[in-house]
Amino acid sequence: RRCGVMLLGRPIRLLAAAFLFLGAVALGGCQILNKGSFGAFKRSLNTKAHGYQIVADPTGTAPTKFVERFEVQPGDCSASHGWSDCANDRERSELSGDRENDRGRDYWYGWSLYVPVDTPNVCPTKTALAQFHQTGAPPAFMFQNRCGGLWIDRNFGATTDIRSIIKPADLRGRWHRVAVHARWSAEKDGFFKVYVNDDLKWAFNGRTNTRGRIYFKYGIYRTWLSYYKRAKGVDQVPAQIVYYANVRRAQTRAGLRPPSPK
């Protein structure tokens, strides 16, 4: 029988899923990735099979049966639409969402993150694990694996504020649930609140959007590879693997909970 895959809150056929997610692995017949009110995602500047896969939870402790596995190996860079990661000292494996988050509206976002114990930290190279990007403009907010731990970076083209939200000693080897409540606005009524494992870690009030529409990206995005190479005296940055589960957008915090298994 044909396998319908539920991705991003709407059913599409496996062939379409393969087009959107090159390298996704089908396990056990059918999979369900219900991403709430998110629209379509596509791979960003990386189409290698190892870069993105849907796999059975290898930890036994994820909030969903299937999880998303991202991997970046040395040399995983590409170019598209006038931009080249290779020419700009970058490598990545990310999914990029639709440009569909309107100004003046509130949204809840959530995802669970697992960094394996043996995934190296590549400081001083900067590794982003999620981004709220703007169309035609720099990212607004980035979640950085900054020399250990997880940090929230208010960016807009240059870091204006960066705060620790998961300590280096706590990040690897366990699942963490990240939730964001945001209002996208170019005025003072905007806000961006970050929760980790149900605890409020950072709250910003003010302008959250300077240009275009906001869209969500997640995976592994590493910048300034040359910093690590010079610091370590090597010619490449080691591979990294990160897992994500229950990536969702909703109008309420309760809507971020994993859907009940059928």
Side-chain angles (χ1 to χ4, degrees):
R1 65 186 178 88
R2 292 181 180 271
C3 178
V5 180
M6 181 66 75
L7 294 169
L8 328 166
R10 63 184 64 131
I12 59 176
R13 297 201 180 279
L14 187 58
L15 181 60
F19 177 77
L20 285 174
F21 303 118
L22 300 175
V25 175
L27 297 173
C30 295
Q31 300 173 42
I32 294 178
L33 292 183
N34 186 328
K35 298 195 175 182
S37 68
F38 269 128
F41 280 81
K42 62 182 179 181
R43 294 190 65 182
S44 177
L45 290 166
N46 184 329
T47 58
K48 294 182 179 179
H50 65 256
Y52 176 79
Q53 298 176 326
I54 301 172
V55 301
D57 169 27
T59 71
T61 56
T64 55
K65 181 178 178 181
F66 291 101
V67 300
E68 296 173 274
R69 180 187 186 274
F70 292 83
E71 179 176 352
V72 172
Q73 295 183 6
D76 282 354
C77 62
S78 185
S80 178
H81 305 298
W83 172 263
S84 171
D85 275 353
C86 303
N88 286 280
D89 208 14
R90 290 159 163 80
E91 295 169 340
R92 80 175 80 199
S93 179
E94 288 186 301
L95 293 187
S96 179
D98 279 351
R99 282 73 165 162
E100 60 179 3
N101 298 284
D102 297 322
R103 283 183 176 180
R105 292 188 60 189
D106 295 9
Y107 296 90
W108 280 92
Y109 307 84
W111 62 94
S112 291
L113 171 71
Y114 183 91
V115 180
V117 172
D118 57 355
T119 289
N121 185 286
V122 296
C123 180
T125 287
K126 184 172 71 172
T127 304
L129 300 179
Q131 307 182 59
F132 287 91
H133 217 298
Q134 304 181 106
T135 55
F141 298 90
M142 305 179 77
F143 290 80
Q144 308 276 14
N145 178 213
R146 183 176 181 260
C147 294
L150 190 66
W151 300 69
I152 177 63
D153 175 358
R154 183 171 177 263
N155 196 273
F156 297 103
T159 297
T160 57
D161 193 2
I162 188 162
R163 306 290 180 92
S164 172
I165 57 174
I166 301 177
K167 294 179 181 179
D170 296 334
L171 178 63
R172 292 189 286 188
R174 58 170 288 195
W175 285 97
H176 296 276
R177 185 65 182 165
V178 180
V180 170
H181 187 201
R183 176 181 294 159
W184 304 115
S185 176
E187 308 299 332
K188 294 181 179 180
D189 63 337
F191 61 79
F192 192 90
K193 301 176 182 179
V194 181
Y195 300 82
V196 177
N197 301 323
D198 295 326
D199 293 332
L200 179 64
K201 292 294 186 177
W202 186 66
F204 169 79
N205 293 285
R207 187 170 64 168
T208 54
N209 184 201
T210 59
R211 180 178 167 190
R213 303 179 81 178
I214 293 285
Y215 61 101
F216 183 58
K217 304 183 75 176
Y218 66 103
I220 303 171
Y221 173 41
R222 48 200 205 177
T223 304
W224 310 128
L225 304 166
S226 57
Y227 291 3
Y228 180 91
K229 295 174 184 177
R230 286 199 298 267
K232 302 296 183 180
V234 296
D235 59 4
Q236 62 184 25
V237 179
Q240 292 175 293
I241 296 171
V242 176
Y243 295 89
Y244 294 78
N246 192 37
V247 177
R248 295 175 65 82
R249 189 185 72 170
Q251 292 190 334
T252 66
R253 190 172 186 176
L256 300 180
R257 296 176 186 141
S260 299
K262 296 181 179 180

